[in-house]
Amino acid sequence: MPADKQVDGKDVAEHNSRDKGVWIVVHGKVWDVTDFLDEHPGGAEIILKYAGMDATEEYEPIHPPDAISDNLDPDKNIGTLIPNTLPKPAVVSPPPPPASIAVPQKSTSASAQPEPEEYVKPDIEEMLSLHDFEAVARRIMNRRGWNYYSSGADDEITMRENHNAYHRVWFRPRILRNVKTVDFSTKFWDFPTSMPVYITATALGKLGHPEGEVALTRAAGKEDIIQMIPTLASCSFDEMVDASVPGQVQFLQLYVNSDRARTKKIIAHAKERGVKALFITVDAPQLGRREKDMRTKFEGAAASHQEKGKDTVRRDQGAARAISSFIDPSLNWADLAELKEAAQGMKVVLKGVQCWEDAVMAAEAGCDGVVLSNHGGRQLDFAPSPIAILPSVVAALQQRGFMTPHATRGKFEIFIDGGVRRATDVLKAIALGATAVGIGRPMIYAMSTYGEEGVRKLVQILRDEFEMNMRLIGAPTLADVVPGMVDTRALFTPGPEPTMYDANYERMLPVGVKAN
Ligand code: 173
């Protein structure tokens, strides 16, 4: 059927079941997805829910724009929907904010149903720290987006520990050093950047902001920091590269697909578009259980599981589960050579290393670096915080000659991510031997609350913090931030009471119990 055929909404509405055929509308185009139902990485159920309807709103945040045309044959494009001919589905009201943060209600004697007080988003100039973006995000993001980004695995012990561990590293500040000017620009390998912080990969940006990840790209370009492009972005890879300015350095985070040909195609395309480094995620052979995400996304909806198809994975539980089934759990060390060869010309880094033995194996396998990461506490609960394992990783790599002494860092770079909220956190990581630190959630919260300007503001806040804190520890350059500037003796003992989580995150509650 010719793709420019005009299709009446009534015809679409009639194709609403496996028996009658399943048509859906996305961005004004009508697609026949009947044969694709059981191939859909997100499962058949979610498509069937939109059978005969316009699925654009559901589709948009969790698929890059080219996902349909990449996966369906052109003859499955039935044509273009004639505007305003599709019967309207029942209106679904936007999800309420989490009950635990519901604002106090005005008491009014005139009405039995008091109106909730409206939350007034603060002016961006009121943002003083990275925590502030999270606090605003929690109030204004829709529930689905907030629960997806804010959730951690199981009891969220690792997610909290990632941040809390920084509270147990203390500085040993030096005095009377000339800190009139401080310089915190640095290089990742030979790629210069304005600070030792990059935007790490986070999926599904349009759950937070309609522009999605291109807002991060633009902010990174303007503030001269490096962005790691996620495999599972809401924007397409090309949109993110097209949004960069000339000379802007971008990395790519890669989930390795069971279909290796697809992965190689992605790598080749990234190389062609000038991506400088490939960060292969190695901590997610299966997605962790983020119960807050799983529970709330389908609150009130009937439970679902894939009826037919290749496996029995439930895909209705949370945004990430819906789209992660392509990730290859059989990926192992023997596959690295092939991936490295495909990536020749780009740096290759393993993202998600959680002990020194694996960091050494990565170096021995010829990788250019590692990211000590537990995926923001979203995968294995009780994985250690990256800052706690950093000293042992550095020691092991130095012993084996993969890292030269701190001030003249070698070619093997150590990045860390998870729980970073302050420039002091970053400086602690630098002192202990990291090249730089990835920031994920706060970037997404800044984007979700104030768009590109929010992300720029976040970077500016960090810049101010770097300048002040480097003066206060007596380090005019990052080369002066050496191991002797930190005291890690408390790292493995209980430390100060955590602060962030009580303010910005709610405790997880069992099914059916409302937070208060
Ligand atoms: O942490 C995540 O949510 C994540 O990495 C992911 C993995 C697969 C699909 C979507 C997101």
Side-chain angles (χ1 to χ4, degrees), residues 369-488:
V370 286
V371 185
L372 307 184
S373 169
N374 51 43
H375 214 114
R378 292 160 76 79
Q379 287 296 104
L380 175 68
D381 208 9
F382 292 94
S385 74
I387 191 74
I389 61 168
L390 179 60
S392 62
V393 168
V394 170
L397 290 167
Q398 282 181 347
Q399 267 165 25
R400 289 161 182 80
F402 290 114
M403 273 183 85
T404 48
H406 182 76
T408 52
R409 208 170 270 121
K411 286 193 164 60
F412 192 84
E413 306 280 31
I414 302 179
F415 303 97
I416 90 172
D417 70 31
V420 173
R421 296 295 183 276
R422 295 277 184 190
T424 49
D425 298 339
V426 186
L427 292 169
K428 291 171 187 178
I430 302 288
L432 292 171
T435 297
V437 154
I439 295 189
R441 286 190 184 91
M443 294 288 182
I444 279 287
Y445 294 145
M447 180 192 82
S448 303
T449 48
Y450 300 94
E452 178 187 328
E453 285 313 307
V455 181
R456 294 192 63 185
K457 177 77 180 170
L458 181 155
V459 178
Q460 287 154 11
I461 289 172
L462 280 177
R463 197 164 274 141
D464 289 348
E465 289 190 0
F466 271 119
E467 192 169 312
M468 179 187 72
N469 288 304
M470 285 178 68
R471 285 209 175 95
L472 297 180
I473 60 172
T477 73
L478 290 180
D480 302 305
V481 184
V482 293
M485 275 196 166
V486 285
D487 178 349
T488 55

Side-chain angles (χ1 to χ4, degrees), residues 175-317:
I175 55 167
L176 293 178
R177 295 184 165 186
N178 181 347
V179 286
K180 188 164 188 289
T181 55
V182 292
D183 177 7
F184 42 90
S185 64
T186 187
K187 280 183 177 171
F188 303 179
W189 304 285
D190 290 327
F191 309 118
T193 182
S194 72
M195 63 169 71
V197 167
Y198 60 92
I199 303 177
T200 195
T202 47
L204 309 180
K206 285 189 185 169
L207 284 179
H209 192 276
E211 281 176 29
E213 296 83 358
V214 294
L216 299 172
T217 309
R218 293 195 190 105
K222 288 178 183 146
E223 297 299 328
D224 187 17
I225 63 167
I226 293 174
Q227 176 195 24
M228 189 192 294
I229 294 175
T231 299
L232 289 165
S234 303
C235 296
S236 73
F237 170 82
D238 283 317
E239 283 174 321
M240 285 176 276
V241 177
D242 291 343
S244 66
V245 292
Q248 182 175 337
V249 175
Q250 289 177 306
F251 298 154
L252 175 67
Q253 172 269 335
L254 182 76
Y255 278 118
V256 178
N257 198 311
S258 304
D259 176 355
R260 282 304 144 78
R262 280 187 98 104
T263 289
K264 285 191 190 158
K265 214 168 120 189
I266 292 171
I267 297 175
H269 186 58
K271 202 164 26 170
E272 198 184 296
R273 296 286 335 250
V275 164
K276 303 288 187 249
L278 192 66
F279 285 67
I280 303 172
T281 297
V282 290
D283 59 9
Q286 175 175 343
L287 215 64
R289 289 175 64 84
R290 298 95 187 244
E291 292 171 14
K292 196 174 4 157
D293 185 35
M294 292 161 72
R295 191 158 275 153
T296 51
K297 181 165 185 261
F298 286 85
E299 237 171 33
S304 83
H305 59 276
Q306 198 160 0
E307 298 158 16
K308 296 185 180 177
K310 293 180 231 144
D311 59 47
T312 56
V313 175
R314 289 180 62 125
R315 299 159 196 277
D316 57 325
Q317 297 176 321

Side-chain angles (χ1 to χ4, degrees), residues 32 124 265 384 410:
D32 179 350
I124 191 168
K265 214 168 120 189

Side-chain angles (χ1 to χ4, degrees), residues 330-337 350 353 357-363 365 367:
S330 78
L331 184 70
N332 64 80
W333 291 102
D335 297 317
L336 265 189
L350 299 187
V353 168
E357 291 90 336
D358 283 341
V360 168
M361 283 178 78
C367 293

